[in-house]
Amino acid sequence: MRMLKRRQTIKKYTSMGLFVFLTACASGPRHLPPADGVKAGESSSFKNMVPASQLEASAVRQYDVMKQKAAKGNALAPDNHPQLIRLRTISKRILPYAQVWNPDSKSWKWEVNLFVSDQVNAFCMPGGKIAFYTGILEKLKLNDDEVAIVMGHEIAHALREHARDRIAKEQMTGLGANILSQALGLGGLGSQALGQGMQVLGLSFSRADEKDADLVGMDIAARAGYDPRAGISLWQKMGASSKDKPAEWLSTHPSGETRIYEMQRNMLDALKLYAKAKNTTVDQLPEYKL
Ligand SMILES: [Zn+2]
């Protein structure tokens, strides 16, 4: 009887602790979406349970390891590689608009690298570490607008902190009370998953995250003066190229007409930003040609 009562008391305090902790976490910094541009809404507050600094430090380590391995295998494009110069030129135009969606990104040490590989792939790690594979540029013959859309999409995953949010949610569902006691006692949430060698690259995002990255990516590319209609042609190219074998990018990015439909639905907002960047109006914009 006494034992039972004690257990109930522990349970009561544990759930109280959970409540207090979650309340504290949920009151972390909020990044309000800009008043103009696409209507992507606020990003989830779950992510505040994972310290951004730890995740970013872990991402930097993984990125550096990737670069070192690639360099050993002669697969890291040198600074004078024409495609790398092109990627860095595009990133210089896009990155000033990153802060519109995430003011903390001002302090990120952005980096753009090109890996020589047949893979049709690209990513941006938390903290702003961007990578493209030569496969995506060459196989899909991407024009600059399309490269900007891919880059915008990947940067958007980082800006909206989808990885951080994903880790937080996985910890909540997977590790439950252990994580809670660890969080309330030693260290913080996040340290456990990161300590276990959480593979930032291996994360796959939810459909909601992908839609969010499509819209926010299109938004920042348009602000930088890249045609957001390239998002449609990009997905068409991607679909055509992967009839037989799905591209690597597609294996982590659910494809389909729904995505094109969602981009179309938000196109006018993105076109307004693009027209503004081009010093014109939406009506005066030339037709988009493939
Ligand atoms: Zn994505």
Side-chain angles (χ1 to χ4, degrees), residues 55 58 62 167 170 192-201 203:
L55 180 61
S58 165
Q62 286 191 39
I167 294 168
E170 278 180 9
Q192 181 161 343
L194 295 173
Q196 285 166 354
M198 168 60 87
Q199 297 296 303
V200 181
L201 260 180
L203 284 177

Side-chain angles (χ1 to χ4, degrees), residues 122 150 153-154 157 162 205-206 209-211 213-214 235 249 252-254 259:
V150 173
H153 175 103
E154 296 306 332
H157 276 308
H162 291 154
F205 299 115
S206 69
D209 288 345
E210 291 304 335
K211 181 186 156 192
D214 279 345
W235 282 106
W249 207 63
T252 51
H253 293 74
R259 298 186 76 155

